[in-house]
Amino acid sequence: MMEGLVSLKATPKISFRSPPSVFHRPCLSTRPFMNPLGANRHSAASIRAQQPDTKDGSALVSTVSMENKEISELKVKEWELGMFQEEVAASQGIRIRRRPPTGPPLHYAGPFEFRIQNEGNTPRNILEEIIWHKDTEISRMKERQPLSLLKKALENAPLTRDFVGALKEANRRTGLPGLIAEVKKASPSRGILREDFDPVEIALAYENGGAACLSVLTDEKFFKGSFSNLEAIRNAGVQCPLLCKEFIIDAWQIYYARIKGADAVLLIAAVLPDLDIKYMTKICKMLGLAALVEVHDEREMDRVLGIEGIELIGINNRNLETFDVDISNTRKLLEGARGQLISQKGIIVVGESGLFTPDDVAYVQEAGVKAVLVGESIVKQKDPRLGISGLFGKDISL
Ligand SMILES: O=C(O)c1ccccc1NCC(=O)[C@H](O)[C@H](O)COP(=O)(O)O
């Protein structure tokens, strides 16, 4: 029995060239990403087979061969462009690869075609698994609701509220970091956080407890969240601006979040190359949304600081590949020249993950954050409102 064999089909085909090390594609592109060496759907034989018979067939065959040559050349160019994008992502230190666009690589073995689990077609960590799943999920969602439909729906979308302004105002009012309270039922690292999970009830409790903004997880598979939760919270009349906490890899998702009632979206630098961050930030501005750009390390911070127009940076203390949480990460990334540049640019920094006590909040505030994003420690409390006063060591709703 072959190890790692996950599926077996009895249709022999040409095997694909071995996969590249990363699979990034530009989010702007709508091109079908195809390996020219595997593009046997357009082989001369298959095109010829589709043509009506001619007297001797020769003229037609040569025209078709020409077309086929052009198609092949085009495909080689597409493939090279794809490779170039992958190299760009790798050169920016992005370790999270995109899902192999043609599916797991095929291996030609005798009369059968095997799909063999290997380093190239298996996610290397949870974040990569989430991103690969997102890829298929979004493709399905886009089929049902293409961008043209979403653009029409924008006409009836609720007005956006000022997410960054709400954080600044809370910070000014309380002298403490503005709170983004997360509506989080479960997570890959902690499992189910709260069994009796009523998103609207939790959102209202957070608002009454003094949260400046809310973060609503919309991923279903890994976090047991949903866009219905986001919509329900918005429709319940919650005034706090809402962050759609999603794994965004395609601009389509930003439009979708906007029509579902979001005021802000998350852009993860570990996943998105600089060009995507720039492009998506512009789309956010156009749609009236704030963009919370999340970084984990110095390299990601430096990349993001090099992008014009960034107003809000989140420092995640959770390593999304290993799940290790270390709040000193916030301090490390705000030390020295980086911290100074951030103040000069007037960027608001959000400390994210692993904050449980007033000491934790004081520690990241001392490091320079003006806001915090907190899930587990407050959502687990029977009364999430009390969770907030426990986190800050006092009632911040006053
Ligand atoms: O929370 C996780 O296990 C997780 C795993 C993989 C990717 C993202 C993940 N969390 C997203 C977050 O950043 C947190 O939900 C958020 O910062 C709140 O963190 P916490 O207060 O520790 O719940």
Side-chain angles (χ1 to χ4, degrees), residues 97 135 158 185 191 218 251 257 268 271-272 275 289 311 316 381 398:
R97 304 166 305 166
D135 205 317
K185 175 165 182 164
T218 48
I268 305 177
V271 170
L272 299 169
L275 192 60
L289 298 168
E311 289 180 280
N316 203 333
Q381 305 308 316
L398 305 169

Side-chain angles (χ1 to χ4, degrees), residues 362-394:
Y363 178 85
V364 290
Q365 181 171 24
E366 182 75 9
V369 310
K370 297 272 189 292
V372 287
L373 171 55
V374 184
E376 180 178 348
S377 67
I378 50 177
V379 83
K380 277 174 98 166
Q381 305 308 316
K382 192 165 172 10
D383 179 351
R385 191 189 159 133
L386 295 180
I388 294 178
S389 44
L391 174 71
F392 285 92
K394 64 182 204 179

Side-chain angles (χ1 to χ4, degrees), residues 182 184 187-189 223 245 316 318 320 323 353-354 374-376:
E182 190 152 275
K184 182 178 190 182
S187 78
S189 60
F223 292 86
K245 194 83 182 300
N316 203 333
R318 177 176 289 111
L320 299 186
F323 292 155
S353 301
V374 184
E376 180 178 348

Side-chain angles (χ1 to χ4, degrees), residues 313-317 330 349-353 355 364 369 371-374:
I313 295 181
I315 298 178
N316 203 333
N317 299 312
T330 297
V349 177
V350 184
E352 301 178 8
S353 301
L355 302 172
V364 290
V369 310
V372 287
L373 171 55
V374 184

